[in-house]
Amino acid sequence: MRVVHLVCLFLFCLSSCGNPYAPPSEIVSSIPMPPLAESPKNVILMIGDGMGISQITAGMYSNDNFLHLENFPIVGLHKCYASDNLITDSAASATSFSSGVKTFNGAIGVDADTIPVTTIVERAEKAGMQTGLIATSSIVHATPAAFYAHVKSRKAFEDIALQFLDSDVDLVIGGGSRYFNQRSDERNLYSDLRQNGYVVADFNTKALSEIPINFDKKLAYFTALSEPLSFSQGRDYLLPAVSIAPIFLSKRSQDNGFFLMVESSQIEWGGQTNQSDYIISEMLEFNSAIGKVLEFAKEDGQTLVVVTADHETGGYAINRGSKMDSLVTAFTTTKHTGTMIPVFAYGPGAELFAGIYENTAIHNKIKYALGLETDQVKR
């Protein structure tokens, strides 16, 4: 009988506590958002996949002790765990950014019960804003996909590409052309994209910098058949992309503003392969991209820039014996880790991003800053 009582008590505690990974703030309370001194018209969210504090530090020391992140006046930390695991993957974390919900690892644009959730891109489009996605991975990879697709598995690449047709993203730049024009169903989605008002081009035709910009058309540019090369192997489109995109979206927005997500995808891949040089070269390219975006934001004066990561990868460390020009590094894993992740903010609304909060709050803070159907944020 005592065993039965203990089992019943255990089951009651489970039902009372709910999801063990549910953030206490979502159970207990939410803090009303403070009024903003100035609201942004545009938001640029920049994500360094796999970029933790050590990745940032290694990039900084390898760049004469400076990164453009030092120009961001507001710094915070987010808690990046998934709904089903303390260690998140990119799909679950990006869904938290895009939709403001915790979900299970592998999920794209759905909640923990596999129900589709509204993304910030979809909200922005509904409000008449322009939207854009840039990645140094394929555009159907977990992070960019979480901003427009709704699938249970991040590996459903062809389904994710098909769902892009249902989005109204105005600019997309990244790899993965094979999922659009070399599909197993023999359907050529390039034709569908052109019918939907896109100028479509890829690495087989012209370099991104050679594409004539038509502000009356949306733009889809595919940089690789599958996953793009690393920066050290010659990938060179991120800087042209972040130079073109804000101007392109601004011109098309007719003063309604824009939302742009930029992912430096391969910082993580350096962590997965335990290659410090890979991490640093990707960090330095990302740093240059951040610098370009800051130039736009400073001149524009109406753009909020948020830089963060989905998680850290590799358990990367800078060890004793390191010098600025010769780092002694080590790794604890080839997988993701559970450390909190820094957030940097610049521009109107930046003050929202100070402190420690759930990764879901990044969505809610951006949504609030843009005035997209919310008056509270989970902290």
Side-chain angles (χ1 to χ4, degrees):
M1 182 65 68
R2 180 176 175 81
V3 172
V4 172
H5 285 162
L6 288 173
V7 170
C8 290
L9 179 61
F10 175 71
L11 292 174
F12 172 78
C13 288
L14 280 181
S15 64
S16 300
C17 296
N19 177 4
Y21 290 101
S25 57
E26 290 190 6
I27 297 172
V28 179
S29 66
S30 61
I31 301 173
M33 294 290 281
L36 294 177
E38 186 179 3
S39 296
K41 184 169 76 172
N42 315 308
V43 171
I44 301 176
L45 173 62
M46 305 187 75
I47 300 170
D49 198 316
M51 181 186 74
I53 289 289
S54 290
Q55 285 81 356
I56 292 169
T57 306
M60 179 182 66
Y61 288 158
S62 300
N63 195 49
D64 295 327
N65 198 24
F66 173 77
L67 291 179
H68 289 294
L69 291 173
E70 295 176 51
N71 291 317
F72 286 67
I74 301 297
V75 181
L77 292 167
H78 76 72
K79 296 181 273 187
C80 62
Y81 55 89
S83 69
D84 64 339
N85 201 310
L86 190 63
I87 310 302
T88 191
D89 78 340
S90 297
S93 188
T95 296
S96 291
F97 294 160
S98 73
S99 304
V101 300
K102 295 279 188 181
T103 193
F104 55 92
N105 284 340
I108 296 286
V110 298
D111 66 15
D113 296 318
T114 72
I115 298 171
V117 286
T118 305
T119 72
I120 193 72
V121 164
E122 291 164 341
R123 290 184 186 279
E125 289 165 353
K126 185 178 179 181
M129 299 177 69
Q130 295 286 294
T131 58
L133 301 171
I134 298 170
T136 58
S137 66
S138 67
I139 209 64
V140 297
H141 213 261
T143 299
F147 286 84
Y148 65 86
H150 306 276
V151 294
K152 299 177 191 176
S153 172
R154 59 182 289 176
K155 296 180 180 180
F157 300 125
E158 290 194 351
D159 288 343
I160 291 169
L162 195 60
Q163 288 192 23
F164 185 82
L165 297 179
D166 296 325
S167 78
D168 196 28
V169 174
D170 299 275
L171 174 143
V172 61
I173 301 171
S177 65
R178 62 179 291 185
Y179 304 110
F180 291 80
N181 69 354
Q182 295 185 23
R183 296 168 54 84
S184 60
D185 60 9
E186 299 184 355
R187 184 173 171 181
N188 188 340
L189 301 189
Y190 278 18
S191 298
D192 295 86
L193 288 170
R194 290 188 177 104
Q195 289 177 6
N196 289 351
Y198 285 88
V199 170
V200 182
D202 64 28
F203 63 100
N204 284 316
T205 54
K206 294 181 178 179
L208 177 60
S209 58
E210 298 172 343
I211 301 296
I213 300 301
N214 182 349
F215 295 112
D216 294 326
K217 294 273 192 177
K218 296 179 282 189
L219 175 63
Y221 182 78
F222 296 95
T223 63
L225 182 64
S226 185
E227 300 301 333
L229 297 172
S230 67
F231 178 67
S232 64
Q233 291 174 321
R235 189 192 68 237
D236 61 359
Y237 68 83
L238 183 59
L239 290 185
V242 297
S243 299
I244 292 168
I247 297 170
F248 178 84
L249 296 173
S250 291
K251 291 282 189 181
R252 286 176 52 86
S253 73
Q254 298 181 344
D255 288 330
N256 287 330
F258 67 80
F259 173 84
L260 172 65
M261 190 286 295
V262 179
E263 185 195 30
S264 178
S265 316
Q266 298 191 33
I267 298 168
E268 162 166 74
W269 302 354
Q272 288 175 335
T273 55
N274 286 182
Q275 296 180 69
S276 185
D277 289 346
Y278 193 172
I279 289 171
I280 291 169
S281 64
E282 296 293 324
M283 274 298 311
L284 294 185
E285 186 204 28
F286 192 38
N287 177 60
S288 296
I290 292 168
K292 284 287 185 185
V293 167
L294 276 181
E295 286 178 14
F296 173 85
K298 288 176 181 178
E299 183 176 348
D300 173 72
Q302 302 180 85
T303 299
L304 168 64
V305 182
V306 180
V307 182
T308 190
D310 45 2
H311 52 73
E312 193 275 342
T313 302
Y316 187 47
I318 299 169
N319 289 334
R320 186 185 178 101
S322 292
K323 298 178 181 179
M324 290 279 187
D325 59 353
S326 59
L327 299 179
V328 178
T329 60
F331 297 86
T332 63
T333 181
T334 58
K335 306 295 184 181
H336 303 169
T337 65
T339 184
M340 287 194 295
I341 297 299
V343 184
F344 303 85
Y346 174 93
E351 63 270 27
L352 294 173
F353 293 85
I356 299 175
Y357 37 83
E358 302 293 336
N359 58 358
T360 52
I362 291 176
H363 167 88
N364 294 332
K365 291 170 188 288
I366 291 173
K367 190 168 64 170
Y368 175 78
L370 290 173
L372 300 176
E373 304 175 25
T374 186
D375 58 4
Q376 289 187 321
V377 63
K378 299 291 172 61
R379 293 292 300 269

